[in-house]
Amino acid sequence: MTVPNALSVLRLFGVPLFLYLLLGPHADGWAVVVLAAAGASDWLDGKLARWLDQTSKLGMLLDPAADRLYIFATLLAFVVREIVPWWIAAILVGREALVGVCLLVLRRYGYGPFEVSYLGKAATFNLLYAFPVLLLAQGGSTAAEIARPIAYAFMLWGGALYLWSAGLYVYQLVLAVRRSPGVLAA
């Protein structure tokens, strides 16, 4: 267990706490703190992995898994609390399902997972930034009124980048499958 992997595992353990805070007592302030800590540990585990030369296959699985789990958990809680409409969550979760199917097809043809693109990282960053600001945008206070357009802008931009990165993954899949022996190029 490396230091970056330990941070990723701690981030994973934060997901149930985050969900409890959002759905149980509606402790949005504390949920923002948990989400911010998760975002900081996401940045820190990548930096530490490179700095300490502790990059690992486990870390390459844990880090994106934690990101995806936070995105899924946040969307679920936001739909339950009616912070975002269900169709936005469905589009983003559908994107994840599409990428998951692509990974299965890649594996079937003997390839490993996609390289993480900067576009995908930017999309995840925007979404993970939008979520706490969306929480801060709840209510009728002046701070909420200021936060609301910022939150929606990050959500829309992150969602668009998320879908664009999925399109690039599908394109990479098509190219990989076409290069595979025994596959006729159309």
Side-chain angles (χ1 to χ4, degrees):
M1 179 62 69
T2 64
V3 172
N5 290 350
L7 283 174
S8 291
V9 168
L10 282 174
R11 197 160 82 242
L12 284 169
F13 286 140
V15 172
L17 174 61
F18 175 72
L19 279 173
Y20 167 74
L21 292 169
L22 279 178
L23 298 176
H26 290 221
D28 293 354
W30 286 111
V32 167
V33 169
V34 171
L35 199 56
S41 73
D42 184 28
W43 173 81
L44 185 60
D45 71 11
K47 283 287 189 195
L48 287 174
R50 288 182 291 280
W51 184 60
L52 298 172
D53 195 28
Q54 292 184 346
T55 304
S56 69
K57 288 188 184 221
L58 178 61
M60 287 188 263
L61 291 173
L62 283 175
D63 187 55
D67 291 343
R68 299 299 178 283
L69 193 55
Y70 266 101
I71 289 171
F72 180 75
T74 304
L75 288 171
L76 173 70
F78 281 8
V79 167
V80 169
R81 295 239 340 243
E82 298 180 351
I83 294 171
V84 298
W86 68 266
W87 58 270
I88 289 177
I91 289 170
L92 296 176
V93 170
R95 182 263 190 206
E96 285 302 313
L98 175 66
V99 171
V101 169
C102 289
L103 291 171
L104 292 173
V105 172
L106 280 174
R107 181 176 288 156
R108 162 77 172 82
Y109 283 92
Y111 293 103
F114 297 115
E115 281 289 317
V116 176
S117 69
Y118 286 109
L119 185 63
K121 286 182 180 187
T124 301
F125 171 81
N126 276 279
L127 289 174
L128 292 179
Y129 196 87
F131 293 156
V133 182
L134 276 168
L135 280 175
L136 295 173
Q138 300 308 301
S141 69
T142 303
E145 294 295 323
I146 292 169
R148 194 167 293 118
I150 296 166
Y152 289 138
F154 273 105
M155 186 73 180
L156 289 171
W157 186 241
L161 291 175
Y162 217 52
L163 294 175
W164 186 5
S165 69
L168 290 177
Y169 289 145
V170 169
Y171 177 71
Q172 289 175 345
L173 171 71
V174 169
L175 290 179
V177 169
R178 282 187 176 172
R179 284 193 305 256
S180 294
V183 175
L184 297 176

